[in-house]
């Protein structure tokens, strides 16, 4: 009887041990699954951290797609021009970059954008002297579009060329030596009694690129072996029909000498002031009174006789 009960007890205990083994195996399996799940979660957390760090680093880099051409720069560069197009773009929160490409598309020509971007990077407008008239016109329109007129304004105007643009002469040879210097060569043995006009860029053209209402310039005339000559600096209408003059050598005689005249055009008063140490008074020209609508700066030489001479005329914006 006792042997039978022992057998039953032993069998029950064995069954209990088997049950414990199954429970242990199940716990081990659950532990393995839990460890695997934790590993997956850890990987996701690390990936999220890495993405967050990369996103934080890359958030300072902005990719712009300007008319199909990509440019990369920093947020700091684009935000440097307060209340510009780019400042509003990044601050508004309403304009997000393309989700797939991560870039802002702007439907403008990319031709002059490198110059705009480089100027923002340097915080100083770079030179525009190399631009063609077409490119300058494009830059002007882009500055208005991007709200950068105040940032660029005066610098763009300074790079506009105040130049001798044409001349009227029946004698001698006149040639341009650079943007703002012209040389007139009169050959020996040529007898003449006439005048030569050398004409500048229209003055109002120089003001349209800036909000300034006035600007200053100087004219330097260098005359070599030129005798019996009267030299005048004047303001004429574009058609050369109306004029006001300042005679620079009232005595009518000039040898080897150089004369400099400083001028200022004020669009508010519509006047031009001319002054020179070679004359005893300043000349103020009232353009309204003289009916000069499109003023240009003009040098006029009146001479006569037979001579060999060379004259150089340089015009320079002073701002």
């Amino acid at each position: 009887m006792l042997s039978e009960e022992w057998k039953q007890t032993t069998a029950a205990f064995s069954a209990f041990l088997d049950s414990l083994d199954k429970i242990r195996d199940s716990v081990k399996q659950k532990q393995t699954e839990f460890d695997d799940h934790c590993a997956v979660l850890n990987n996701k957390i690390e990936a999220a951290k890495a993405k967050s760090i990369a996103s934080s680093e890359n958030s300072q880099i902005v990719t712009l797609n300007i008319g199909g051409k990509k440019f990369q720069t920093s947020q700091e560069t684009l935000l440097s021009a307060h209340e510009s197009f780019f400042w509003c773009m990044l601050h508004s929160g309403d304009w997000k970059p393309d989700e797939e490409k991560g870039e802002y598309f702007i439907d403008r020509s990319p031709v002059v954008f490198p110059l705009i971007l480089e100027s923002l990077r340097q915080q100083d407008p770079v030179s525009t002297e190399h631009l063609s008239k077409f490119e300058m016109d494009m830059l002007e329109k882009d500055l208005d579009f991007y709200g950068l007129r105040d940032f660029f304004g005066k610098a763009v105007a300074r790079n506009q060329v105040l130049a001798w643009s044409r001349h009227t002469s029946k004698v001698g040879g006149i040639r341009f030596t650079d943007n703002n210097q012209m040389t007139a060569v009169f050959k020996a043995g040529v007898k003449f009694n006439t005048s030569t006009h050398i004409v500048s860029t229209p003055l109002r053209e120089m003001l349209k690129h800036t909000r300034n209402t006035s600007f200053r310039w100087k004219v330097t005339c260098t005359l070599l072996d030129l005798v019996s000559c009267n030299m005048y600096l004047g303001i004429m209408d574009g058609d050369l029909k109306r004029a006001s003059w300042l005679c620079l050598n009232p005595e009518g005689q000039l040898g080897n000498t150089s004369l400099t005249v400083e001028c200022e055009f004020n669009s508010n008063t519509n006047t031009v002031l001319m002054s020179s140490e070679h004359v005893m008074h300043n000349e103020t020209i009232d353009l309204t009174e003289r009916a000069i609508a499109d003023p240009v700066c003009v040098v006029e030489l009146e001479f006569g006789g037979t001579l060999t001479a060379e004259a150089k005329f340089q015009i320079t914006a002073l701002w």
Side-chain angles (χ1 to χ4, degrees):
M1 184 69 180
L2 182 61
S3 177
E4 186 65 29
E5 289 179 356
W6 176 253
K7 287 181 179 178
Q8 291 178 355
T9 301
T10 302
F13 184 70
S14 295
F16 175 72
L17 292 177
D18 290 341
S19 175
L20 288 178
D21 287 340
K22 289 180 180 179
I23 292 174
R24 182 187 62 189
D25 291 342
S26 177
V27 169
K28 285 184 177 180
Q29 183 178 355
K30 294 296 184 182
Q31 181 65 49
T32 300
E33 292 176 356
F34 178 76
D35 290 342
D36 291 343
H37 183 65
C38 287
V40 171
L41 287 178
N42 285 332
N43 289 338
K44 289 183 177 179
I45 290 172
E46 292 302 319
K49 287 181 178 179
K51 185 176 181 180
S52 177
I53 293 173
S55 176
S56 177
E57 292 175 349
N58 292 332
S59 66
Q60 301 303 314
I61 299 175
V62 180
T63 301
L64 302 174
N65 184 333
I66 310 296
K69 187 172 182 179
K70 295 182 181 180
F71 299 86
Q72 281 193 322
T73 188
S74 67
Q75 281 193 21
E76 182 181 3
T77 295
L78 294 179
L79 293 174
S80 62
H82 191 69
E83 295 186 354
S84 67
F85 174 93
F86 301 111
W87 191 91
C88 295
M89 178 184 80
L90 296 175
H91 268 281
S92 68
D94 296 329
W95 190 1
K96 303 295 183 183
D98 183 272
E99 292 184 1
E100 294 183 2
K101 298 179 180 179
E103 60 190 33
Y104 293 89
F105 177 76
I106 302 173
D107 193 17
R108 301 292 293 182
S109 170
V111 172
V112 296
F113 189 74
L115 185 148
I116 293 175
L117 185 56
E118 188 61 26
S119 297
L120 289 174
R121 286 171 175 155
Q122 297 182 17
Q123 282 299 287
D124 185 25
V126 299
S127 173
T128 59
E129 291 181 352
H130 63 286
L131 298 182
S132 66
K133 185 178 184 305
F134 173 78
E135 291 169 331
M136 275 303 306
D137 290 342
M138 184 178 294
L139 176 61
E140 291 289 326
K141 293 175 183 177
D142 278 357
L143 291 181
D144 287 333
F145 179 83
Y146 293 122
L148 294 171
R149 171 68 62 180
D150 288 342
F151 180 75
F152 267 80
K154 193 170 183 178
V156 171
R158 286 189 179 189
N159 283 318
Q160 301 304 304
V161 178
L162 177 62
W164 299 122
S165 59
R166 57 196 172 95
H167 62 87
T168 60
S169 176
K170 297 180 181 179
V171 298
I174 295 181
R175 66 179 185 273
F176 294 94
T177 54
D178 57 36
N179 282 336
N180 64 353
Q181 182 167 295
M182 181 180 284
T183 300
V185 179
F186 308 102
K187 297 180 180 180
V190 177
K191 188 172 183 178
F192 49 83
N193 222 328
T194 185
S195 65
T196 296
H197 289 144
I198 300 176
V199 187
S200 79
T201 306
L203 301 182
R204 296 193 192 280
E205 185 75 15
M206 299 301 298
L207 283 180
K208 79 173 187 178
H209 303 285
T210 178
R211 294 184 179 182
N212 290 353
T213 58
S214 65
F215 78 94
R216 295 167 47 245
W217 73 98
K218 69 177 180 180
V219 177
T220 301
C221 306
T222 304
L223 308 175
L224 305 176
D225 300 324
L226 191 57
V227 296
S228 187
C229 169
N230 290 323
M231 186 173 73
Y232 301 89
L233 180 67
I235 302 298
M236 300 186 75
D237 211 353
D239 57 11
L240 303 185
K241 291 182 179 179
R242 292 166 294 279
S244 183
W245 300 99
L246 176 65
C247 183
L248 300 182
N249 58 322
E251 301 298 326
Q253 297 292 324
L254 286 173
N256 297 333
T257 189
S258 180
L259 304 177
T260 299
V261 183
E262 290 196 6
C263 309
E264 181 175 0
F265 170 46
N266 189 313
S267 62
N268 280 340
T269 59
N270 205 30
T271 58
V272 174
L273 172 66
M274 296 189 294
S275 60
S276 173
E277 61 183 15
H278 301 283
V279 295
M280 298 301 295
H281 68 283
N282 298 335
E283 182 76 11
T284 299
I285 301 172
D286 187 323
L287 301 179
T288 302
E289 182 180 304
R290 299 280 182 171
I292 299 176
D294 184 24
V296 293
C297 181
V298 180
V299 170
E300 180 178 272
L301 295 178
E302 291 183 344
F303 40 78
T306 302
L307 56 104
T308 301
E310 182 173 330
K312 294 182 180 180
F313 309 95
Q314 186 162 355
I315 189 166
T316 308
L318 299 176
W319 299 99

